[in-house]
Structures are given as C-alpha cells and as structure tokens.
C-alpha cells in the first residue's frame, strides 16, 4: 500500500505566539531574541515574523545586526519565553497526534503524521484532514501552520516549504519528480552548504541534474552512501517510517479564575491539574521530577522543579507542589499569577513498552 504522509510546521512560531498574547504588537515587525546577557545587545535572533523578514531580519542573526536593520522603524524586540512556547507546542502536538495513525514530533513546532491507514491511498481524504487541522489550530491557539502532503516524509517536508505562511501543498506520487526537478540542490532538505558547493563545482545545479548525472558517477565523487542519499533526494525517494516516540514530559496548564497571589487558590488549581494529568498517566507512566510553572500578570514565566522518589500518581505529590508554591510566593512578594501549571518528567513507561505498543495491546 502506498503511504500518505503529512508534514505540519507552525508559521514564525515564537513570533506568532507573542503576537497572539500581546495585541499591541500585532501588525508590527516582531523579532524574538535569545539574549546572552553579556552586553545589552549580545545574543542571536531566534525568529522573526514575516514583516521583520521583509527587513532582512532572520533567525540566527546577531541581535546587533537585527537592530541595525530595524533602525528608524517601529520594530518590536522581545526575549524568548521557552516555557510558554513549549506549552503551546504541547497542546498543538496533542491535537495533531489525534489525527494520525502514527505520529512523530521532530521539533518544537514540526511533526510528521502518517495518515495511510485512515486515508487508504486517498489524497482528498488527507487534504480534508489537513484542512481540519488548520482550522483546529487556528481556533484553539490562534496561529497558522503550513502543511505538506506526499508519499513519504521527505516529499511532505519539501511540499510544506513550498507555500508559507498558512500554506498547503499536495504532491501526489506521480507528481514527485516534476515537483522537485527545478529546485536548486541547496534547497533539497538535508543537503548542506558544503555538498551544494561540491555539486555546483561538478556543474550539478538542480535536482534534475543529479538525476541525469546518475548514481554511478555520483558514487565516484561522493562515495556509495552519500551518492544514494543525493540520488534519492533528487527523485523524492524516502522509505523512513514515521516513528512514534515516547514523550519525555507531560504537563497541564490553566488560567486562574482571577489573578492572584493567594497560596490556597493556586494550590486548588494545581490539585485540579494533577487529577487531569492522572487521566493521561493511567497508572502506566511514572515520573521522577515535578515542576511548578507560574505565569504572572506581566506574562513572565518561571519554573521550579524538584526531584522526587519515583511516583505514578500526580496527586500523591501535591505536598511537594505546596512547598514549591510557598517558595515561589515568598521569593516573589507582590507578584500575582495569571496562569499556573504542572509538569512531570523523567518518565518511565511500564513494561518498557512504548506508548504506541501499549495502545495496540489495550485495543486487543
Ligand atoms: P522554524 O520552523 O525554523 O521557524 P519559524 O517557525 O519561526 O518560521 P517558519 O514560518 O519559517 O517556519 O523554527 C521554529 C522555532 O524554533 C522558531 O519560531 C524559533 C526557534 N528557532 C531558534 O530558536 N533558532 C533558530 O535558529 C531557528 C531556525 C529556529
Ligand atoms: Ca516553523
């Protein structure tokens, strides 16, 4: 059976999330930075929204360069808030997983979904799922994503890159070679700058050139393994499976009824979150570290963690959460919280079975 694979990638992820929670910056160029703290402007750009990209500001650029490009313009610079992005990411990934037969998260904002079983060779079916996913992410999180659909992971990734932001590109098996042929070799996912130079020096500029050159001649220049890799990339061949992996951590976050610095109210919310998390743990997953996540009224996130003896019941560690809450409040007098969350990590899956295997055993 031919597979159908989907690649989902959130658009300008950190910047989109910041725009969403700070209405006052919408419509402006936004640059999200990792400040190293050495001097005021030392560090690098983590990402920029599409308006800032029009000014030439991109991920990886030193902040000082970005500031120069932004000079005289109303550009917003913000520090990264990883805890918050992780929270959004986890919710999106959960949503995506529900639409897949097999699911593989590959970064904070990217995942592959194998929909072969539920769509049995029907691209219209996959397209419908992709539209649903776009709608659900927009409705639930207020952000957009770009989706590529194809017969394997590599082609779906390449397809997703074709239209961004908020794009969708479908490449059916019979369209793969045409889709790839005119692309410069440097644009093929996984071909680095050095390989691009080597290929160019041989007169190989596009995917079609690689295919024409042929495997035998490529082997002379690149060795057997790399030649095959390049050849497959030019023709869109990729047999690698969508690999379901166990999660490393689980969390739950919620908004408090009103902003507060009252330990009892915070504790009450935390105990609700523990009960909710237990539904996910199902007595099948144990953890060794707990974390309290706090988001204050200025949207500043803090995390406090504690290593504990192995536990499987999120509510059994409530006394430890109480200590973390009291510690947070005494160290941050006057700070009121808007949202609170819990995270468990250092996870072990009972019987050493992966989550997917457990699911299928349970189904039997
Ligand atoms: P990307 O998916 O590469 O970029 P993006 O989501 O910001 O933009 P695009 O619309 O092109 O997909 O990366 C996801 C997040 O990872 C990004 O929002 C910030 C972070 N990141 C870094 O911190 N440093 C980097 O160098 C890159 C490339 C990304
Ligand atoms: Ca992205």
């Amino acid at each position: 059976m031919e597979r159908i694979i989907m690649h989902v990638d959130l658009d300008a992820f950190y910047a989109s999330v910041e725009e969403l929670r700070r209405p006052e910056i919408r419509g402006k160029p936004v640059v999200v930075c990792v400040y190293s703290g050495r001097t005021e402007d030392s560090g690098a750009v983590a990402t920029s929204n599409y308006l800032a990209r029009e000014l030439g500001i991109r991920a990886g650029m030193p902040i000082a360069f970005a500031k120069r490009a932004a000079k005289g313009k109303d550009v917003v610079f913000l520090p990264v808030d990883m805890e918050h992005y992780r929270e959004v990411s986890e919710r999106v990934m959960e949503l995506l997983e529900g639409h897949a037969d097999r699911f593989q998260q590959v970064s904070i904002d990217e995942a592959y979904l194998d929909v072969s079983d539920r769509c049995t060779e029907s691209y219209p079916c996959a397209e419908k799922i992709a539209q649903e996913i776009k709608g659900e992410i927009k409705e639930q999180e207020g952000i957009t994503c770009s989706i590529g659909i194809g017969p394997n992971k590599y082609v779906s990734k390449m397809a997703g890159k074709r239209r961004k932001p908020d794009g969708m590109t479908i490449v059916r098996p019979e369209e793969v070679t045409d889709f790839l042929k005119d692309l410069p070799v440097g644009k093929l996912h996984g071909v680095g700058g050095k390989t691009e130079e080597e290929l160019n020096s041989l007169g190989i500029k596009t995917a079609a050139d690689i295919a024409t050159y042929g495997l035998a001649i490529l082997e002379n220049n690149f060795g057997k393994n790399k030649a095959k890799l390049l050849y497959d990339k030019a023709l869109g061949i990729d047999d690698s499976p969508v690999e379901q992996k166990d999660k490393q951590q689980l969390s739950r976050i919620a908004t408090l009824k009103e902003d507060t610095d009252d330990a009892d109210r915070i504790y009450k919310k935390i105990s609700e979150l523990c009960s909710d998390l237990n539904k996910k743990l199902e007595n099948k997953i144990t953890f060794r570290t707990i974390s309290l996540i706090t988001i204050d009224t200025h949207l500043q996130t803090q995390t406090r963690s504690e290593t504990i003896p192995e536990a499987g019941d999120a509510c059994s560690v409530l006394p430890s959460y109480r200590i973390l809450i009291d510690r947070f409040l005494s160290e941050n007098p006057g700070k009121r919280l808007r949202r609170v969350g819990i995270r468990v990590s250092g996870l072990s899956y009972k019987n050493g079975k992966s989550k997917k295997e457990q699911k299928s055993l349970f189904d039997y």
Side-chain angles (χ1 to χ4, degrees):
M1 191 178 81
E2 295 265 9
R3 294 185 298 155
I4 302 183
I5 311 294
M6 201 179 283
H7 179 262
V8 181
D9 180 0
L10 303 174
D11 298 320
F13 180 44
Y14 298 180
S16 307
V17 168
E18 292 295 352
E19 281 178 73
L20 189 80
R21 65 172 176 167
R22 301 173 196 266
E24 71 278 11
I25 69 170
R26 281 181 212 158
K28 294 182 183 181
V30 175
V31 186
V32 183
C33 304
V34 180
Y35 290 95
S36 67
R38 237 174 356 96
T39 66
E40 198 191 327
D41 283 345
S42 60
V45 171
T47 196
S48 51
N49 69 358
Y50 283 72
L51 283 173
R53 288 181 203 187
E54 281 172 21
L55 302 173
I57 301 172
R58 285 174 204 287
M61 182 182 266
I63 296 168
F65 281 33
K67 290 241 163 114
R68 227 169 290 149
K71 209 161 188 177
K73 301 190 181 74
D74 189 12
V75 179
V76 179
F77 285 81
L78 294 169
V80 285
D81 181 352
M82 290 313 300
E83 204 59 74
H84 182 59
Y85 311 145
R86 236 175 255 135
E87 176 195 339
V88 178
S89 164
E90 275 179 38
R91 286 198 303 259
V92 171
M93 294 300 157
E94 190 110 345
L95 184 160
L96 292 178
E97 191 169 2
H99 285 286
D101 306 318
R102 280 159 294 281
F103 173 79
Q104 181 179 2
Q105 180 176 353
V106 280
S107 75
I108 192 162
D109 78 331
E110 266 178 74
Y112 290 106
L113 285 69
D114 187 332
V115 295
S116 310
D117 300 344
R118 62 189 68 197
C119 284
T120 45
E121 304 192 10
S122 162
Y123 276 80
C125 161
E127 181 174 1
K128 187 162 163 276
I129 292 177
Q131 292 293 9
E132 280 168 17
I133 287 172
K134 275 174 165 288
E136 286 169 21
I137 295 180
K138 183 79 201 184
E139 190 185 311
Q140 186 185 301
E141 303 298 338
I143 57 177
T144 60
C145 66
S146 296
I147 300 185
I149 303 175
N152 58 51
K153 283 161 75 174
Y154 168 73
V155 172
S156 70
K157 165 93 187 176
M158 293 299 300
K161 284 207 256 187
R162 183 60 60 98
R163 285 184 200 92
K164 260 185 149 300
D166 203 10
M168 160 131 71
T169 305
I170 300 171
V171 181
R172 290 174 173 74
E174 64 275 16
E175 299 165 338
V176 169
T177 16
D178 249 16
F179 171 75
L180 295 170
K181 71 177 176 14
D182 296 328
L183 287 176
V185 291
K187 293 266 184 236
L188 303 178
H189 179 59
V191 174
K194 195 160 158 269
T195 309
E196 180 187 6
E197 274 174 33
E198 285 171 342
L199 286 164
N200 286 345
S201 72
L202 292 167
I204 303 175
K205 299 270 196 275
T206 64
D209 293 343
I210 295 181
T212 317
Y213 219 69
L215 197 51
I217 309 179
L218 285 171
E219 279 178 6
N220 292 339
N221 291 281
F222 295 96
K224 215 175 167 75
N225 292 342
K226 190 159 177 189
K228 173 84 170 77
L229 209 79
L230 289 169
Y231 195 67
D232 285 353
K233 287 192 184 304
L235 293 175
I237 298 165
D238 176 18
D239 293 330
S240 66
V242 171
E243 283 181 288
Q244 187 98 24
K245 294 206 178 84
D246 287 331
K247 291 203 169 66
Q248 299 303 305
Q249 54 184 42
L250 294 166
S251 58
R252 290 290 178 271
I253 301 192
T255 304
L256 291 152
K257 263 206 201 91
E258 52 202 48
D259 300 343
T260 187
D261 58 359
D262 180 83
D264 291 337
R265 284 194 189 171
I266 296 168
Y267 183 74
K268 186 161 169 288
K269 184 52 92 182
I270 293 292
S271 52
E272 287 169 21
L273 294 175
C274 285
S275 306
D276 190 38
L277 189 64
N278 268 346
K279 290 185 206 146
K280 186 88 186 173
L281 298 173
E282 279 186 327
N283 292 322
K284 289 182 185 145
I285 307 170
T286 62
F287 52 91
R288 297 199 56 100
T289 302
I290 62 164
S291 305
L292 171 74
I293 303 162
T294 54
I295 299 138
D296 65 28
T297 46
H298 298 289
L299 302 178
Q300 293 301 307
T301 308
Q302 291 189 40
T303 309
R304 281 179 166 61
S305 301
E306 182 102 353
T307 303
I308 51 152
E310 189 170 38
D313 174 355
C315 296
S316 71
V317 292
L318 274 167
S320 302
Y321 277 120
R322 180 74 204 208
I323 294 168
L324 291 175
I325 293 167
D326 290 339
R327 199 186 301 158
F328 172 85
L329 292 172
S330 68
E331 287 170 10
N332 294 274
K335 205 166 251 184
R336 288 146 66 79
L337 295 184
R338 177 164 297 173
R339 286 161 70 69
V340 288
I342 56 170
R343 177 188 304 133
V344 295
S345 52
L347 305 184
S348 294
Y349 291 77
K350 267 198 191 153
N351 308 326
K353 291 270 191 290
S354 74
K355 202 162 62 99
K356 192 72 193 170
E357 284 168 314
Q358 282 176 6
K359 219 184 245 168
S360 54
L361 277 177
F362 187 72
D363 289 342
Y364 276 112

